[in-house]
Amino acid sequence: MADRFYTPQPLALGDVTLDGPEAHHLATVRRFEPGDAVTLFNGDGREYAAEVVAVDRKRATLHVTAALDLSRESAVRVTVASALPKGDRADYLVEKLTEVGVTHFVPLMTVRSVVVPKLTTVEKLARVVIEASKQCGRNRLMTVGPPTTWRDFLARRDGVQLVLHTSNGEPTPVQSFADGVTLAVGPEGGFTPVEIAAAIEAGRAVLSLGPRVLRVETAAVVGAAWAAQLG
Ligand code: SAH
């Protein structure tokens, strides 16, 4: 795979100009030159073979020579709704969920959440998704939804719905995840008994990942990797 660069623009055969952070990365950080081969993607599910035509410090002109339908998505549509851990660990969480192939991420607001996700956080996380997709080869971006309260989250339905919780997880019958699966992950303080009761009331199944208490980001990544394998 040639080095991958992202653009939000529609792509087609012919010339395209990159600017912003991607042009900076291509020209200044990686020092690509006219004639070099790169791969472009914009999240439409394809990747585009391109050749560098011209570079300056702010812009790069590329010539797209081929469009390839290359899916690196997992067979199961996985949504993860999770409380955000602090600082860099939120970036780690989103990076790993992108690598594992999660389709959609929802920053959750729960009673014990310490991080209140702001819109700027969401924008920053969207950038993490792009960087991770450049690295792992995904041609579709994991979408990042707006911060959502537990109550609003429980009002929705999207495939099989599981709540990861440390205690008394009934062994969850492994069901078909053909319609997708949604996993909810709590904050470091865990979900409150009231939140768990509300989830059960809303028809959610509680799932334990074993007797050890995992960090938020570990639980999210392990849960997503497990779910992505079940067709
Ligand atoms: N003291 C809290 C720990 C929370 S860990 C408690 O006992 O609930 C943060 C989140 O990660 C949890 O809310 C849960 O969603 C998930 N998690 C951590 N360890 C888990 C495990 N062993 N099984 C299932 N979910 C787990």
Side-chain angles (χ1 to χ4, degrees), residues 112 163-167 184-191 207-217 219-220:
R112 293 182 182 151
V163 176
L164 300 187
H165 191 47
T166 42
S167 62
V185 185
E188 290 306 342
F191 288 114
L207 172 70
S208 165
L209 296 173
R212 289 165 304 282
V213 176
L214 309 176
R215 294 269 198 181
V216 176
E217 62 277 21

Side-chain angles (χ1 to χ4, degrees), residues 79-183:
T79 297
V80 172
S82 177
L84 290 182
K86 280 198 222 145
D88 288 353
R89 288 169 44 212
D91 292 0
Y92 174 93
L93 165 67
V94 167
E95 180 181 287
K96 299 309 159 202
L97 292 183
T98 305
E99 288 172 39
V100 163
V102 169
T103 319
H104 184 53
F105 178 73
V106 181
L108 264 190
M109 293 184 283
T110 70
V111 171
R112 293 182 182 151
S113 290
V114 281
V115 176
V116 181
K118 295 191 288 276
L119 230 47
T120 49
T121 318
V122 172
E123 283 163 13
K124 199 174 142 243
L125 295 179
R127 188 68 220 168
V128 174
V129 172
I130 290 170
E131 288 305 323
S133 303
K134 285 163 74 173
Q135 177 273 323
C136 76
R138 272 184 92 169
N139 291 321
R140 288 201 187 277
L141 300 180
M142 178 175 81
T143 47
V144 180
T148 302
T149 62
W150 188 235
R151 190 194 151 102
D152 287 348
F153 173 74
L154 289 181
R156 289 193 211 148
R157 290 228 143 264
D158 189 12
V160 175
Q161 307 262 349
L162 303 172
V163 176
L164 300 187
H165 191 47
T166 42
S167 62
N168 68 26
E170 294 284 315
T172 305
V174 175
Q175 334 170 32
S176 162
F177 288 168
D179 290 336
V181 58
T182 299
L183 302 174

Side-chain angles (χ1 to χ4, degrees), residues 5-24 26 38 40-41 50-64:
F5 293 91
Y6 172 78
T7 174
Q9 316 169 56
L11 289 167
L13 301 191
D15 283 357
V16 57
T17 303
L18 298 190
D19 52 20
E22 292 295 275
H24 172 79
L26 186 141
V38 297
L40 294 175
F41 70 107
E51 191 182 300
V52 178
V53 176
V55 276
D56 63 34
R57 283 181 42 215
K58 291 224 163 72
R59 260 183 318 221
T61 306
L62 309 164
H63 187 75
V64 176

